[in-house]
């Protein structure tokens, strides 16, 4: 990090713009030219203040400018990081894996089948089994539509009607992935690899229109499910259905920052409030 600091351009005493704006401009250029790679941690506020001989508040103002431009995210106690992708919506997997480096891990998901969640959890759970990650607790909460009840989506494309065969297909997919997640997490506790390992699934009767991930209560990823028509096999017959497609959902990222009044911090707080309200009111345990 010392060499990176030394390579940053200095302040121009003849520049009429305030030091905070100049520092923001220098860091922005460094991000755009990949001197700081996506996901990389920026120099600390203290290091930047010392580099530019300014007060720490000046550096905080500069970082706030970059955060408002969605070039960086700031994480409480960890510092500022270049967004994983600065010019398009971010990928989920590296953030989930980073979440498992904490002592106490919480993963909350609201969506359709849990298929993507199963995929992104596989590697960090494998690393725990291999002794490469050693969290003290892992809590996973999964909130899904109840595919055993009549649903608006998925539905038959021709009539847009609910169909038991379509729901049975969705139920099989959901059960396959949620059972795998629950068993994998609980196994960590049974093996003594994690002191407190909890995985719960609850269901509700609302339509699956979006997916939401909340990581350690500090990061939120949100994406809409596009509804698409495609043909699947229902009771041995090709059937056209309208289906919410998770693999086509683009995720947008927000993270809690030191500024509790920031849009991102408020977004994460409201996402947690919504999830908890659904979990504790209309959702119920998912049992066979």
């Amino acid at each position: 990090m010392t060499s990176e600091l030394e390579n940053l351009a200095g302040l121009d005493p003849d520049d009429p713009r305030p030091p905070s704006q100049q520092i923001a401009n220098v860091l922005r250029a460094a991000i755009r030219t990949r001197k700081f790679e996506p996901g990389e941690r920026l120099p600390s506020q203290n290091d930047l203040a010392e580099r530019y001989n300014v007060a720490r508040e000046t550096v905080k103002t500069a970082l706030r400018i970059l955060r408002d431009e969605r070039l960086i995210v700031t994480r409480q106690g960890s510092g500022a990081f270049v967004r994983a992708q600065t010019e398009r919506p971010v990928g989920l997997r590296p953030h989930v894996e980073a979440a498992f480096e904490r002592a106490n891990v919480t993963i909350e998901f609201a969506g359709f089948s849990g298929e993507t969640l199963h995929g992104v959890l596989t590697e960090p759970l494998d690393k725990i089994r291999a002794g490469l990650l050693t969290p003290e607790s892992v809590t996973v909460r999964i909130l899904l539509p109840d595919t055993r009840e009549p649903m608006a989506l998925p539905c038959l494309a021709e009539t847009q009607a609910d169909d038991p065969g379509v729901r049975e297909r969705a139920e099989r997919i959901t059960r396959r992935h949620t059972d795998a997640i629950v068993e994998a997490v609980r196994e960590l506790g049974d093996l003594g690899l994690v002191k407190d390992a909890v995985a719960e699934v609850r269901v509700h009767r609302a339509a699956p229109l979006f997916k939401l991930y909340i990581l350690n209560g500090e990061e939120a990823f949100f994406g809409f499910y596009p509804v698409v028509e495609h043909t699947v096999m229902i009771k041995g017959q090709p059937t056209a259905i309208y289906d919410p497609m998770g693999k086509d959902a683009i995720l947008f990222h927000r993270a809690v920052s030191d500024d509790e009044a920031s849009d991102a911090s408020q977004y994460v707080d409201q996402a947690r409030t919504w999830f908890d309200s659904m979990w504790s009111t209309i959702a119920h345990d998912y049992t066979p």
Side-chain angles (χ1 to χ4, degrees):
M1 190 66 72
T2 301
S3 61
E4 293 172 346
L5 276 169
E6 293 174 348
N7 290 333
L8 291 176
L11 301 184
D12 182 355
D14 297 324
D15 192 327
R17 291 171 295 186
S20 58
Q21 184 63 61
Q22 291 191 55
I23 294 171
N25 292 346
V26 170
L27 293 174
R28 184 189 302 106
I31 292 169
R32 293 296 192 193
T33 58
R34 296 299 183 100
K35 291 179 181 176
F36 293 112
E37 294 288 340
E40 184 176 349
R41 186 178 184 273
L42 295 181
S44 70
Q45 292 181 15
N46 288 337
D47 286 343
L48 287 168
E50 182 178 349
R51 166 70 176 85
Y52 290 107
N53 193 27
V54 296
R56 188 177 174 189
E57 284 301 314
T58 300
V59 173
K60 289 178 70 173
T61 300
L63 295 178
R64 189 176 301 116
I65 292 170
L66 299 179
R67 190 185 66 229
D68 290 344
E69 294 175 0
R70 299 184 55 76
L71 288 175
I72 67 170
V73 293
T74 54
R75 300 171 187 163
Q76 290 178 321
S78 299
F81 296 78
V82 180
R83 278 192 175 273
Q85 297 181 31
T86 57
E87 296 181 355
R88 57 188 185 276
V90 300
L92 178 67
R93 189 177 299 274
H95 293 265
V96 171
E97 293 176 1
F100 274 83
E101 296 175 1
R102 297 287 188 89
N104 299 293
V105 180
T106 61
I107 306 294
E108 293 162 319
F109 170 77
F112 186 20
S113 68
E115 182 175 0
T116 303
L117 177 67
H118 183 201
V120 298
L121 288 179
T122 298
E123 185 167 349
L125 295 180
D126 285 345
K127 286 184 177 180
I128 294 174
R129 281 190 286 270
L132 300 176
L133 293 171
T134 57
E136 295 179 8
S137 69
V138 174
T139 300
V140 179
R141 296 199 296 171
I142 304 172
L143 189 60
L144 304 171
D146 192 345
T147 50
R148 297 163 297 186
E149 299 287 340
M151 303 176 68
L153 283 171
C155 65
L156 295 173
E158 183 177 2
T159 62
Q160 298 183 26
D162 172 73
D163 181 79
V166 174
R167 283 191 280 108
E168 288 172 9
R169 173 182 177 273
E171 170 73 5
R172 289 194 301 273
I173 295 171
T174 298
R175 177 64 68 183
R176 179 166 67 247
H177 295 290
T178 56
D179 283 355
I181 293 169
V182 170
E183 291 173 7
V185 171
R186 291 178 178 174
E187 182 188 44
L188 299 177
D190 294 340
L191 294 174
L193 297 173
V194 176
K195 188 175 181 180
D196 187 14
V198 177
E200 297 178 274
V201 182
R202 291 189 180 182
V203 293
H204 55 79
R205 297 187 65 180
L209 302 178
F210 62 86
K211 61 169 63 178
L212 171 70
Y213 299 83
I214 305 174
L215 312 182
N216 290 334
E218 297 177 356
E219 294 184 88
F221 295 79
F222 179 91
F224 293 103
Y225 285 127
V227 177
V228 301
E229 180 178 349
H230 65 130
T231 300
V232 298
M233 298 300 293
I234 303 294
K235 297 181 179 179
Q237 297 296 321
T239 305
I241 67 172
Y242 286 136
D243 205 8
M245 296 298 287
K247 67 181 180 64
D248 295 327
I250 296 174
L251 294 176
F252 296 90
H253 178 224
R254 298 291 186 276
V256 170
S257 69
D258 293 331
D259 182 2
E260 295 182 358
S262 70
D263 288 345
S265 294
Q266 293 184 63
Y267 186 97
V268 176
D269 180 66
Q270 288 301 302
R272 294 173 59 189
T273 298
W274 176 85
F275 188 97
D276 287 338
S277 70
M278 289 286 290
W279 188 267
S280 61
T281 56
I282 66 172
H284 56 88
D285 290 340
Y286 184 41
T287 56

